């Protein structure tokens, strides 16, 4: 049985006003975040992943950005229509976010403990003493040694991995229903990455029906952690599928290109085989193609692709794709083996 949706995003449109022209950073995105799942969102830089996440938190800077259309339904309430005060109560307690770069997200002028305690006191009626005790507990929970002493230290006294753990402690301090992790392991070594990802999963289990939205470029992490995957490009969803279906039978040419660009171990590739790459660059959101957003880089495009944008269709149970070729032949793309 499919779990119930925890969050429903319906035709979300987030645009930015750049010198009088509206840039469509997110343009008509629809998806659900299901209870108890880890949902991955992948795509190159500029595809709309982070803007989608910031929209869920209602953190789009206005100006120049604005959510111009659509709904974000959370527990029967449309986040898009909530006032600043109502959203302030939800943000942090019910929906929390781990941002890309912890050094710029943490305030360098305040001790770590104060920053964690502030979040707890904002959303829960506890004393300063209780908030401090909870902050120590959270630091210990994320694996920071001697948490009582380090509570009084500042962000610059922590390593990159430790700062990321502090960000996780802040995000999870109020046990949120939805945790949005935007590139949570950027610039961390592989060992620390694994520890932080395992930590996120273990802390997620503390709240029944909680969900994680994982935004990343690392497809190996997606293969290891996620239940479903959304592939974004040009501000739109190009493919949605379970993680097994996406890796075993990718349907969209862009998804195929992403998977083929993953380096393979020497014993799985030819001696002189070059790493495959998607040709060209991601187009500017100020100058997107009229038809399929991937048409300027697609190796199998047809004339229709340049003139008309395909709809997002469910071509197999639970597997949606936005491609003219797949409409007539769901298995047009060959399976791609990926080693995580």
């Amino acid at each position: 049985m499919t779990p119930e949706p925890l969050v429903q995003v319906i035709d979300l449109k987030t645009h930015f006003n750049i010198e009088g022209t509206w840039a469509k950073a997110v343009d008509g995105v629809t998806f659900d975040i299901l209870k108890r799942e880890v949902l991955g969102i992948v795509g190159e830089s500029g595809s709309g992943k982070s803007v989608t996440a910031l929209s869920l938190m209602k953190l789009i800077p206005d100006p120049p950005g604005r959510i111009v259309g659509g709904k974000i339904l959370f527990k029967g309430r449309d986040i898009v229509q909530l006032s600043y005060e109502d959203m302030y109560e939800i943000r942090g307690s019910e929906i929390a976010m781990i941002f890309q770069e912890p050094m710029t997200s943490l305030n360098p002028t305040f001790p770590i403990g104060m920053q964690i305690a502030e979040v707890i006191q904002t959303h829960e009626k506890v004393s300063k003493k209780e908030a401090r005790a909870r902050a120590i507990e959270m630091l210990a929970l994320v694996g920071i040694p001697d948490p009582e002493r380090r509570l009084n230290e500042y962000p610059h006294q922590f390593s990159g991995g430790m700062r990321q753990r502090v960000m996780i402690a802040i995000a999870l301090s109020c046990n949120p229903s939805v945790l949005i992790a935007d590139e949570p392991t950027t610039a961390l070594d592989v060992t620390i990455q694994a520890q932080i990802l395992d930590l996120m999963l273990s802390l997620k289990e503390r709240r029944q029906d909680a969900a994680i939205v994982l935004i990343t470029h690392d497809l190996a992490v997606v293969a290891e952690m996620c239940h479903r995957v959304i592939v974004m490009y040009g501000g739109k969803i190009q493919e949605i599928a379970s993680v097994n279906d996406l890796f075993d039978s990718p349907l969209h040419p862009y998804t195929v290109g992403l998977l083929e660009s993953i380096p393979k171990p020497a014993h799985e590739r030819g001696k002189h085989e070059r790493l495959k790459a998607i040709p060209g660059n991601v187009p500017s959101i100020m100058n997107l193609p009229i038809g399929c957003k991937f048409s300027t880089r697609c190796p199998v495009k047809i004339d229709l692709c340049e003139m008309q944008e395909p709809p997002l269709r469910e071509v197999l149970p639970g597997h949606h794709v936005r491609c003219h070729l797949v409409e007539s032949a769901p298995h047009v793309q060959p399976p791609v083996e990926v080693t995580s």
Side-chain angles (χ1 to χ4, degrees), residues 8 33 35-36 103 110 114 125 174 223 233 270 284 293:
Q8 293 176 285
I33 303 171
K35 294 179 179 179
R36 300 186 295 279
M103 196 57 198
F110 291 103
M114 182 182 295
K125 295 180 179 179
C174 294
Y233 186 87
S284 166
K293 300 300 175 266

Side-chain angles (χ1 to χ4, degrees), residues 99-298:
F99 295 93
Q100 286 190 33
E101 177 46 60
M103 196 57 198
T104 57
S105 301
L106 295 169
N107 191 322
T109 64
F110 291 103
I112 290 297
M114 182 182 295
Q115 298 186 55
I116 301 174
E118 180 184 24
V119 174
I120 297 170
Q121 286 190 285
T122 297
H123 297 290
E124 299 180 16
K125 295 180 179 179
V126 296
S127 65
K128 288 185 178 181
K129 184 177 180 181
E130 291 173 314
R132 178 183 172 83
R134 280 271 299 278
I136 294 173
E137 179 188 354
M138 290 305 301
L139 287 181
L141 197 61
V142 298
I144 293 180
D146 196 5
E148 191 166 359
R149 176 181 63 83
R150 305 216 68 181
L151 199 71
N152 300 313
E153 294 183 353
Y154 291 81
H156 72 271
Q157 295 174 280
F158 288 72
S159 67
M162 289 296 183
R163 286 197 295 265
Q164 195 66 285
R165 289 170 186 263
V166 171
M167 288 297 299
I168 293 174
I170 292 174
L172 295 174
S173 60
C174 294
N175 208 9
S177 296
V178 181
L179 174 64
I180 302 171
D182 190 359
E183 298 284 358
T185 58
T186 298
L188 302 181
D189 64 66
V190 176
T191 302
I192 300 300
Q193 283 186 33
Q195 292 175 0
I196 286 178
L197 294 172
D198 287 343
L199 173 65
M200 288 170 53
L201 289 176
S202 63
L203 295 181
K204 167 182 168 289
E205 300 303 322
R206 298 178 66 201
R207 179 162 182 167
Q208 186 179 11
D209 295 336
I212 293 176
V213 179
L214 177 63
I215 300 170
T216 182
H217 291 91
D218 193 334
L219 291 170
V221 170
V222 169
E224 182 71 24
M225 287 193 61
C226 297
H227 300 103
R228 291 189 304 135
V229 188
I230 292 174
V231 180
M232 291 193 68
Y233 186 87
K236 291 181 176 288
I237 293 175
Q238 304 299 333
E239 189 164 1
I240 307 177
S242 69
V243 67
N244 291 334
D245 288 345
L246 191 88
F247 279 76
D248 292 340
S249 301
L251 299 180
H252 198 284
Y254 180 57
T255 308
V256 173
L258 289 177
L259 295 177
E260 288 184 337
S261 66
I262 299 176
K264 296 179 181 179
H267 69 275
E268 292 186 11
R269 55 182 169 82
K271 183 177 181 180
H272 301 291
E273 182 181 348
R274 294 176 61 87
L275 180 66
K276 294 184 179 180
I278 301 173
N281 298 308
V282 178
S284 166
I285 57 174
M286 301 293 293
N287 188 29
L288 291 171
I290 296 174
C292 172
K293 300 300 175 266
F294 188 57
S295 62
T296 57
R297 306 171 70 193
C298 183

Side-chain angles (χ1 to χ4, degrees), residues 46-86:
S47 60
K49 308 185 304 299
S50 294
V51 175
T52 299
L54 292 172
S55 298
L56 292 175
M57 295 286 290
K58 206 173 181 181
L59 286 174
I60 300 297
D62 182 8
R66 186 181 305 168
I67 299 176
V68 300
K71 298 180 179 180
I72 303 173
L73 303 180
F74 175 69
K75 295 185 176 181
R77 307 171 75 185
D78 183 4
I79 287 176
V80 175
Q81 302 301 325
L82 292 183
S83 65
Y84 178 85
E85 290 76 17
D86 289 338

